Amino acid sequence: GIFGLTDVSKRNLQKILKKPGIEGSIFIYVGGMAELFKSTRKKEVLYLSKRKGFIKLALQEGVDIVPLYLFGNTSIFTVLKTGRLADLSRKLQVSLTYFWGKWYLPVPRDDKLLYVGGQPLGIPHIPDPTQEDIDHWHKKYCEEVTRLFDKYKELLPAYKHKEL
């Protein structure tokens, strides 16, 4: 796909993971419509509690996960979060809403972006993981993402006082 974007269905991800080398690596940016409409310039929101499919797939395929956080993605644009377009966006799970940045145009603000990564979690290969296995590794992932956010938010003025 464009910019290397691809469908994140289980079948497609399994196909990618079978490729050798870097072509078999996947970068999944966890976030979607819920985060788009709930995050503000004062608060970051990640809905991870029900998003466990990537953990299950990693366990089944025996691939590790490196937790990441991208600072700045919710501050470079403001999103229209009310009205008919916003309601339709939520319903269709597609962003149909208006967004703006610098000069009230769809031009990103000059806010700094910071991408931070943690250490690999050490995900084991469990071909048929139990719910307990999935929950255990999902919890570790969520804890590490939160740790990264809390550790590095001080580096960006717009994030210094934000909560996750």
Side-chain angles (χ1 to χ4, degrees), residues 4 10 18-19 22-23 26 36 39 43 49 53 57 67 70 73 77 83-84 87 93 108 126 140 162:
K10 180 179 180 179
K18 291 185 184 346
K19 294 179 181 180
I22 194 77
E23 289 185 14
I26 300 169
L36 176 67
S39 291
K43 180 176 88 172
S49 63
L57 180 62
L70 175 60
N73 60 318
F77 290 113
R84 289 186 178 149
D87 293 341
Q93 295 292 293
I126 305 174
K140 286 183 75 107
K162 278 191 175 188

Short mmCIF file of all heavy atoms in Angstrom, two decimals, residues 4 10 18-19 22-23 26 36 39 43 49 53 57 67 70 73 77 83-84 87 93 108 126 140 162:
data_model
loop_
_atom_site.label_atom_id
_atom_site.label_comp_id
_atom_site.label_asym_id
_atom_site.label_seq_id
_atom_site.Cartn_x
_atom_site.Cartn_y
_atom_site.Cartn_z
N GLY A 4 3.72 2.19 2.55
CA GLY A 4 3.92 0.93 3.24
C GLY A 4 2.75 0.54 4.13
O GLY A 4 2.84 -0.39 4.91
N LYS A 10 -5.65 -10.39 10.42
CA LYS A 10 -4.77 -11.46 10.89
C LYS A 10 -4.12 -12.18 9.70
O LYS A 10 -2.91 -12.43 9.71
CB LYS A 10 -5.56 -12.46 11.74
CG LYS A 10 -4.73 -13.60 12.26
CD LYS A 10 -5.54 -14.54 13.13
CE LYS A 10 -4.66 -15.67 13.63
NZ LYS A 10 -5.40 -16.60 14.48
N LYS A 18 5.87 -13.93 7.47
CA LYS A 18 6.59 -15.06 6.86
C LYS A 18 7.70 -14.59 5.92
O LYS A 18 8.53 -15.39 5.51
CB LYS A 18 5.60 -15.97 6.12
CG LYS A 18 4.68 -16.70 7.09
CD LYS A 18 3.79 -17.68 6.40
CE LYS A 18 2.79 -18.38 7.27
NZ LYS A 18 2.90 -18.35 8.68
N LYS A 19 7.72 -13.29 5.59
CA LYS A 19 8.76 -12.77 4.70
C LYS A 19 10.08 -12.68 5.45
O LYS A 19 10.11 -12.41 6.65
CB LYS A 19 8.36 -11.39 4.17
CG LYS A 19 7.14 -11.42 3.27
CD LYS A 19 6.79 -10.03 2.80
CE LYS A 19 5.55 -10.05 1.92
NZ LYS A 19 5.19 -8.70 1.45
N ILE A 22 13.80 -7.58 6.98
CA ILE A 22 13.03 -6.39 7.33
C ILE A 22 11.63 -6.41 6.70
O ILE A 22 10.70 -5.85 7.25
CB ILE A 22 13.80 -5.10 6.94
CG1 ILE A 22 13.18 -3.86 7.59
CG2 ILE A 22 13.86 -4.92 5.45
CD1 ILE A 22 13.51 -3.70 9.03
N GLU A 23 11.48 -7.07 5.57
CA GLU A 23 10.17 -7.15 4.92
C GLU A 23 9.18 -7.94 5.77
O GLU A 23 7.97 -7.83 5.58
CB GLU A 23 10.28 -7.77 3.54
CG GLU A 23 10.96 -6.85 2.54
CD GLU A 23 10.96 -7.43 1.14
OE1 GLU A 23 10.23 -8.40 0.88
OE2 GLU A 23 11.70 -6.90 0.30
N ILE A 26 6.71 -5.65 11.10
CA ILE A 26 5.47 -4.88 11.06
C ILE A 26 5.55 -3.78 12.11
O ILE A 26 5.94 -4.03 13.26
CB ILE A 26 4.25 -5.77 11.35
CG1 ILE A 26 4.15 -6.89 10.33
CG2 ILE A 26 2.97 -4.94 11.37
CD1 ILE A 26 3.14 -7.96 10.72
N LEU A 36 -8.66 9.46 18.11
CA LEU A 36 -8.79 10.69 17.34
C LEU A 36 -9.79 11.65 17.98
O LEU A 36 -9.54 12.84 18.10
CB LEU A 36 -9.23 10.36 15.91
CG LEU A 36 -9.50 11.55 14.98
CD1 LEU A 36 -8.22 12.30 14.68
CD2 LEU A 36 -10.15 11.06 13.69
N SER A 39 -8.66 12.25 22.33
CA SER A 39 -7.43 12.93 22.73
C SER A 39 -7.58 14.42 22.50
O SER A 39 -8.26 14.86 21.58
CB SER A 39 -6.23 12.39 21.94
OG SER A 39 -5.95 11.07 22.31
N LYS A 43 -4.88 16.04 27.07
CA LYS A 43 -4.97 14.65 27.52
C LYS A 43 -4.81 13.71 26.34
O LYS A 43 -5.40 13.90 25.28
CB LYS A 43 -6.35 14.43 28.16
CG LYS A 43 -6.59 13.04 28.68
CD LYS A 43 -7.92 12.93 29.39
CE LYS A 43 -9.01 12.60 28.41
NZ LYS A 43 -10.30 12.29 29.00
N SER A 49 -7.60 -1.64 26.15
CA SER A 49 -8.13 -2.73 26.97
C SER A 49 -8.74 -3.87 26.15
O SER A 49 -8.64 -5.02 26.53
CB SER A 49 -9.14 -2.20 27.98
OG SER A 49 -10.26 -1.64 27.32
N GLY A 53 -5.65 -8.46 19.88
CA GLY A 53 -5.39 -9.35 18.75
C GLY A 53 -3.94 -9.37 18.33
O GLY A 53 -3.40 -10.42 17.96
N LEU A 57 -1.56 -12.71 18.12
CA LEU A 57 -0.84 -13.06 16.90
C LEU A 57 0.66 -13.17 17.15
O LEU A 57 1.31 -14.10 16.66
CB LEU A 57 -1.12 -12.02 15.81
CG LEU A 57 -0.43 -12.25 14.48
CD1 LEU A 57 -0.89 -13.56 13.85
CD2 LEU A 57 -0.69 -11.08 13.54
N PRO A 67 7.42 -2.09 22.31
CA PRO A 67 6.47 -1.01 22.59
C PRO A 67 7.00 0.34 22.11
O PRO A 67 8.20 0.62 22.22
CB PRO A 67 6.33 -1.03 24.11
CG PRO A 67 6.75 -2.40 24.51
CD PRO A 67 7.83 -2.77 23.53
N LEU A 70 4.42 7.60 20.04
CA LEU A 70 4.68 8.74 19.17
C LEU A 70 4.06 9.98 19.82
O LEU A 70 2.84 10.08 19.93
CB LEU A 70 4.10 8.53 17.78
CG LEU A 70 4.20 9.72 16.82
CD1 LEU A 70 5.65 10.10 16.59
CD2 LEU A 70 3.52 9.40 15.51
N ASN A 73 1.54 13.53 17.69
CA ASN A 73 0.53 13.25 16.67
C ASN A 73 -0.83 13.84 17.01
O ASN A 73 -1.63 14.09 16.11
CB ASN A 73 0.41 11.75 16.41
CG ASN A 73 0.02 10.98 17.64
OD1 ASN A 73 0.51 11.25 18.73
ND2 ASN A 73 -0.85 10.03 17.48
N PHE A 77 -2.45 18.70 14.83
CA PHE A 77 -3.73 19.05 14.24
C PHE A 77 -4.80 19.13 15.32
O PHE A 77 -4.71 18.44 16.33
CB PHE A 77 -4.19 18.00 13.21
CG PHE A 77 -3.39 17.98 11.95
CD1 PHE A 77 -2.60 16.89 11.65
CD2 PHE A 77 -3.43 19.04 11.05
CE1 PHE A 77 -1.86 16.84 10.48
CE2 PHE A 77 -2.69 19.01 9.89
CZ PHE A 77 -1.90 17.92 9.60
N GLY A 83 -20.71 17.30 15.84
CA GLY A 83 -21.45 17.53 14.61
C GLY A 83 -21.68 16.28 13.80
O GLY A 83 -21.26 15.18 14.18
N ARG A 84 -22.35 16.44 12.69
CA ARG A 84 -22.75 15.30 11.86
C ARG A 84 -21.58 14.54 11.26
O ARG A 84 -21.60 13.31 11.20
CB ARG A 84 -23.69 15.77 10.75
CG ARG A 84 -25.03 16.16 11.28
CD ARG A 84 -25.99 16.49 10.17
NE ARG A 84 -27.28 16.81 10.74
CZ ARG A 84 -28.12 17.66 10.21
NH1 ARG A 84 -27.83 18.26 9.07
NH2 ARG A 84 -29.28 17.89 10.79
N ASP A 87 -20.03 12.39 13.98
CA ASP A 87 -20.90 11.24 14.27
C ASP A 87 -20.79 10.19 13.17
O ASP A 87 -20.71 8.99 13.45
CB ASP A 87 -22.37 11.69 14.41
CG ASP A 87 -22.60 12.56 15.63
OD1 ASP A 87 -21.76 12.54 16.56
OD2 ASP A 87 -23.63 13.28 15.65
N GLN A 93 -16.24 4.36 11.14
CA GLN A 93 -14.85 4.09 11.50
C GLN A 93 -13.89 4.62 10.45
O GLN A 93 -12.87 4.00 10.15
CB GLN A 93 -14.63 2.59 11.75
CG GLN A 93 -15.38 2.05 12.94
CD GLN A 93 -14.85 2.60 14.24
OE1 GLN A 93 -13.73 2.32 14.63
NE2 GLN A 93 -15.64 3.41 14.93
N PRO A 108 0.31 20.84 9.21
CA PRO A 108 0.69 20.52 10.59
C PRO A 108 1.31 21.72 11.31
O PRO A 108 2.04 22.52 10.71
CB PRO A 108 1.73 19.42 10.44
CG PRO A 108 1.57 18.89 9.07
CD PRO A 108 1.00 19.98 8.24
N ILE A 126 3.91 -19.32 21.57
CA ILE A 126 2.86 -20.18 22.14
C ILE A 126 1.83 -20.37 21.03
O ILE A 126 0.98 -19.50 20.82
CB ILE A 126 2.22 -19.55 23.39
CG1 ILE A 126 3.28 -19.21 24.44
CG2 ILE A 126 1.15 -20.49 23.97
CD1 ILE A 126 2.75 -18.46 25.65
N LYS A 140 1.77 -6.41 30.14
CA LYS A 140 3.18 -5.97 30.05
C LYS A 140 3.34 -4.89 28.99
O LYS A 140 4.06 -3.90 29.18
CB LYS A 140 4.10 -7.16 29.74
CG LYS A 140 4.31 -8.09 30.93
CD LYS A 140 5.27 -9.20 30.61
CE LYS A 140 6.67 -8.72 30.56
NZ LYS A 140 7.52 -9.11 31.67
N LYS A 162 0.53 16.48 30.36
CA LYS A 162 -0.50 15.58 29.88
C LYS A 162 -0.55 14.27 30.65
O LYS A 162 0.47 13.82 31.18
CB LYS A 162 -0.29 15.24 28.39
CG LYS A 162 -0.80 16.28 27.44
CD LYS A 162 -0.79 15.74 26.03
CE LYS A 162 -1.42 16.72 25.07
NZ LYS A 162 -1.59 16.13 23.75
#
